[in-house]
C-alpha cells in the first residue's frame, strides 16, 4: 500500500519510527515533511500536503502526526475526499477504515507512546473498507454532504 506521512514539530519524533515500521511491513511510504525539527512549523501545512496527496490518488492512505492529533484531523478534513480522524486506540484505527472508509489517520505524539502508535498504525494500514451496504449508504450520505458545500 502507498502511504503518505507528515508531521509538524509536535509529531516529528514519532514520524521516523512509523515510517520504518510501515516499510518493514512492505508498504511504500512517501514522507511529506517536516524533514527536520522546527518548533515554529505549522500543522496545517503537513496535513494539507498529506490530505491532497491522498485525495489526488497518489497514496492509498495518509498519516498525519501533531502534538494532539486534533489540529491534524481538523486540517486534513478540509480537503475534499479526505476522511480523517484522531485515533488513539487500535479499535478505532481499523474500524474507522472498515466502516467509515477513513483514509487519513491522525495521532498526537504528545498523547500516546511510540509502542501504542506502532499498533495503531499497523491496525490502520492493514484495514480495508468492508463494502457492506449499510456502510456504503452512510458513506454516500457523507459524500452528498461534501458535494453540497
Ligand atoms: C503544536 O505545538 C501543537 O499545537 C500541534 O502539534 C497540535 O497539537 C495541534 O493540534
Amino acid at each position: 500500500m502507498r502511504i503518505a506521512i507528515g508531521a509538524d514539530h509536535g509529531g516529528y519524533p514519532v514520524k521516523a519510527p512509523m515510517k520504518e515500521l510501515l516499510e518493514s511491513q512492505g508498504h511504500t511510504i512517501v514522507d511529506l515533511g517536516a524533514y527536520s525539527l522546527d518548533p515554529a512549523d505549522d500543522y496545517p501545512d503537513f496535513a494539507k500536503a498529506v490530505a491532497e496527496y491522498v485525495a489526488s490518488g497518489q497514496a492509498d492512505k495518509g498519516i498525519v502526526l501533531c502534538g494532539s492529533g486534533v489540529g491534524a484531523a481538523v486540517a486534513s478534513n478540509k480537503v475534499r475526499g479526505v476522511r480523517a480522524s484522531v485515533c488513539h486506540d487500535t479499535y478505532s484505527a481499523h474500524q474507522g477504515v472498515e466502516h467509515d472508509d477513513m483514509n487519513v489517520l491522525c495521532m498526537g505524539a504528545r498523547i500516546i507512546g511510540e509502542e501504542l502508535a506502532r499498533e495503531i498504525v499497523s491496525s490502520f494500514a492493514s484495514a480495508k473498507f468492508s463494502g457492506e451496504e449499510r456502510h456504503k449508504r452512510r458513506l454516500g450520505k457523507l459524500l452528498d454532504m461534501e458535494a453540497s458545500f
Side-chain angles (χ1 to χ4, degrees):
M1 179 164 291
R2 299 163 305 159
I3 301 175
I5 192 166
D8 75 346
H9 58 281
Y12 184 79
V14 170
K15 180 162 65 70
M18 296 307 110
K19 269 175 68 176
E20 200 177 304
L21 170 71
L22 290 164
E23 281 167 351
S24 77
Q25 293 173 347
H27 300 291
T28 301
I29 308 305
V30 179
D31 186 347
L32 297 172
Y35 302 116
S36 60
L37 183 59
D38 174 4
D41 69 13
D42 300 322
Y43 66 83
D45 297 330
F46 306 104
K48 182 172 186 282
V50 171
E52 288 181 344
Y53 212 82
V54 172
S56 68
Q58 295 176 87
D60 305 299
K61 290 179 181 174
I63 296 172
V64 187
L65 307 162
C66 68
S68 65
V70 174
V74 170
S76 297
N77 279 314
K78 299 293 180 196
V79 175
R80 188 180 289 270
V82 165
R83 293 171 293 283
S85 184
V86 182
C87 295
H88 287 154
D89 67 277
T90 56
Y91 177 78
S92 305
H94 68 81
Q95 193 253 18
V97 177
E98 292 158 358
H99 289 199
D100 311 321
D101 205 14
M102 174 175 68
N103 53 11
V104 173
L105 168 71
C106 301
M107 295 190 299
R110 294 175 184 160
I111 311 296
I112 51 168
E114 195 179 304
E115 290 310 317
L116 178 55
R118 286 177 193 279
E119 295 191 14
I120 292 168
V121 158
S122 298
S123 295
F124 171 69
S126 61
K128 291 185 177 59
F129 180 56
S130 72
E132 285 175 51
E133 204 47 50
R134 69 187 196 281
H135 299 312
K136 285 204 286 200
R137 181 179 72 245
R138 292 162 190 162
L139 185 58
K141 291 184 179 186
L142 291 182
L143 297 176
D144 288 347
M145 286 171 66
E146 193 174 66
S148 71
F149 294 147

